[in-house]
Amino acid sequence: MNFDFDDRTEELRARLLEFMAERIYPAEQVFAEQARHSGWSHPPVLDELRAEARRRGLWNLFLPGAYGAGLTNQQYAPLAEITGRSPGLAPAALNCAAPDTGNMEVLAEFGTGAQRERWLEPLLDARIRSAFAMTEPDVASSDATNIATRIERDGDEYVVNGRKWFITGAMNPLCQVFIVMGKTDPDAPRHRQQSQILVPRDTPGVTIRRGMHTFGWDDADHGGHAEIDFVDVRVPVENLISTEGSGFAIAQARLGPGRVHHCMRLIGMAERALELMCRRVSGRYAFGGPLADQGVVQDWIAEARVRIEQARLLVLKTAWLMDTAGNRAARTEIQAIKIVVPEMAQWVVDRAIQAHGAAGVSQDTPLARLWASARTIRLADGPDEVHRRSLARRELRRHQPAGD
């Protein structure tokens, strides 16, 4: 394994670090202030940052192939880490924010020419937004085969019925299309029952009920998390993505690169939290000296550095495997990073909050939002327990006697 950054990665890292220092960090407070008055729309400063990102060649970096920057997972990983230092602003400024990233990947890989022209092209240009409608309130959606929403063929149309919730980005008025996951054949084999279909937001029968909160935040600045009813929603058969029964496989393909993206952004979040902690304890005095002299604080800092480095190396190994051997060969590592990295980031941010005292839970630092984000992703990207279960089963199979 060679984790050296190649020339293109180094050049993009330098360009991105400069953009973060010159434009992103100074805009964070402006973004937060504008968000208080923007409703479900994104704050206006984001448009300025997007224009500048495009001018600097920092646009659609996440997407391989002809539609994006053409980077490998290993090339994009360190860039995603940098954007994770300002997770509410930097990814969106570069048009590299979920859920649009995963949806663009689905359309690029599985969409028809007509689907790409109608939806992918404006998404690549950030003229519209999209949402991925999978999670449901009435079933344990951590097991995707539980999804109860029905997608039934009726002549030249599909009819969609179901309720979804925590559909990120859907409250934003620019969100023009949902990729909806539902069952087309409940009697098919377990992983061939589901399909994915494109449902325009303005289709009759689509009702957005409310925006859900995460730890008290509505996350309106990036489109919130909607609860949505689909009642006798009719769309043309041409809106089906790929074929009937391919929904589960598409979801897995969508989540492969996305897992690396999430994990590297989390590492960037942890790095920022560690930096804030070190600065705080170096300039804060209690009990006759700087907090940095306290043994417990030094233990936090050392442990944070070790955990971050371990997590980064595991994610880089995963990215390297995905590039060289394919996503299937990297399944163990993909499961492992989803277990390790969010827990690591939450731990580091929590220690940074503790070092800041009351300021750590206030709006005066980004730490409270970083903590909520790290904690939420341990559910949003699949519960820890599901990843541990899958990883354990794969490990057990390696040691079963032949023929068992």
Side-chain angles (χ1 to χ4, degrees):
M1 290 171 281
N2 182 358
F3 297 152
D4 286 344
F5 298 147
D6 62 15
D7 291 343
R8 188 175 187 203
T9 305
E10 288 285 16
E11 190 267 333
L12 286 170
R13 283 185 74 250
R15 208 186 302 172
L16 181 54
L17 286 168
E18 186 177 72
F19 181 62
M20 295 287 290
E22 293 179 357
R23 301 302 301 270
I24 294 295
Y25 298 136
E28 287 180 334
Q29 191 59 40
V30 176
F31 184 80
E33 291 172 358
Q34 290 182 350
R36 299 189 186 103
H37 309 287
S38 299
W40 294 108
S41 299
H42 63 256
V45 70
L46 182 59
D47 292 323
E48 301 172 22
L49 294 171
R50 283 175 167 169
E52 182 64 15
R54 297 187 77 160
R55 189 186 70 79
R56 298 189 186 209
L58 299 170
W59 192 252
N60 291 332
L61 297 176
F62 74 96
L63 192 59
Y67 291 106
L71 302 178
T72 65
N73 287 297
Q74 193 173 347
Q75 288 174 316
Y76 179 63
L79 306 177
E81 176 182 337
I82 293 170
T83 66
R85 294 177 61 87
S86 184
L89 186 54
L94 276 57
N95 207 34
C96 293
D100 293 315
T101 48
N103 295 339
M104 285 188 268
E105 288 167 344
V106 166
L107 289 167
E109 184 172 355
F110 301 102
T112 64
Q115 290 170 351
R116 291 171 184 162
E117 182 179 0
R118 183 175 180 187
W119 302 117
L120 177 58
E121 291 181 11
L123 282 169
L124 289 168
D125 205 34
R127 286 182 279 120
I128 67 169
R129 288 205 57 190
S130 61
F132 186 68
M134 186 177 84
T135 306
E136 298 180 3
D138 297 326
V139 299
S141 303
S142 55
D143 179 355
T145 62
N146 282 337
I147 296 303
T149 294
R150 289 301 311 274
I151 303 173
E152 298 175 280
R153 179 80 180 255
D154 183 18
D156 292 333
E157 296 178 313
Y158 281 103
V159 184
V160 182
N161 281 283
R163 177 174 293 178
K164 302 289 186 177
W165 77 338
F166 281 96
I167 308 308
T168 299
M171 302 299 295
N172 190 316
L174 284 178
C175 181
Q176 297 298 302
V177 65
F178 307 123
I179 296 180
V180 179
M181 183 145 164
K183 286 188 177 179
T184 43
D185 186 359
D187 299 319
R190 194 159 174 256
H191 293 97
R192 294 287 301 171
Q193 298 176 2
Q194 304 83 13
S195 300
Q196 293 188 22
I197 196 163
L198 291 156
V199 177
R201 182 197 187 99
D202 59 1
T203 307
V206 176
T207 302
I208 296 182
R209 296 169 59 90
R210 57 175 175 161
M212 307 302 299
H213 288 191
T214 57
F215 291 103
W217 277 296
D218 60 15
D219 293 331
D221 53 11
H222 62 266
H225 314 281
E227 182 174 15
I228 309 173
D229 281 337
F230 297 88
V231 180
D232 294 330
V233 174
R234 290 180 172 269
V235 295
V237 294
E238 291 81 10
N239 284 28
L240 187 74
I241 298 176
S242 189
T243 59
E244 285 194 17
S246 62
F248 190 87
I250 293 172
Q252 293 301 110
R254 180 185 187 275
L255 290 172
R259 286 163 176 160
V260 173
H261 303 172
H262 275 312
C263 287
M264 290 306 287
R265 283 193 293 267
L266 283 162
I267 291 169
M269 289 166 52
E271 285 282 12
R272 181 131 188 231
L274 177 56
E275 178 183 313
L276 290 170
M277 176 164 54
C278 289
R279 290 180 177 177
R280 177 74 171 190
V281 299
S282 296
R284 200 78 167 179
Y285 288 77
F287 307 108
L291 289 176
D293 287 347
Q294 298 292 329
V296 66
V297 173
Q298 293 179 358
D299 184 69
W300 292 346
I301 292 169
E303 183 67 18
R305 173 50 59 204
V306 170
R307 293 190 186 204
I308 290 171
E309 295 300 327
Q310 289 174 329
R312 180 185 289 112
L313 285 172
L314 184 54
V315 178
L316 288 174
K317 177 192 176 185
T318 304
W320 174 81
L321 270 176
M322 292 168 68
D323 290 338
T324 57
N327 292 7
R328 188 175 183 83
R331 285 182 303 176
T332 294
E333 286 74 15
I334 289 172
Q335 292 289 346
I337 63 175
K338 295 193 77 174
I339 295 166
V340 168
V341 180
E343 288 187 345
M344 175 279 296
Q346 184 185 334
W347 187 92
V348 174
V349 176
D350 189 74
R351 298 281 76 75
I353 289 172
Q354 197 72 9
H356 279 73
V361 297
S362 76
Q363 70 271 38
D364 289 348
T365 79
L367 293 171
R369 289 296 294 267
L370 294 180
W371 187 93
S373 179
R375 184 62 187 87
T376 300
I377 206 166
R378 293 176 60 192
L379 294 170
D381 209 25
D384 299 345
E385 295 77 13
V386 172
H387 305 314
R388 292 179 184 275
R389 175 178 179 268
S390 298
L391 184 56
R393 286 184 165 187
R394 191 169 295 115
E395 191 69 15
L396 286 166
R397 283 196 295 270
R398 293 179 58 230
H399 301 285
Q400 288 179 344
D404 281 11

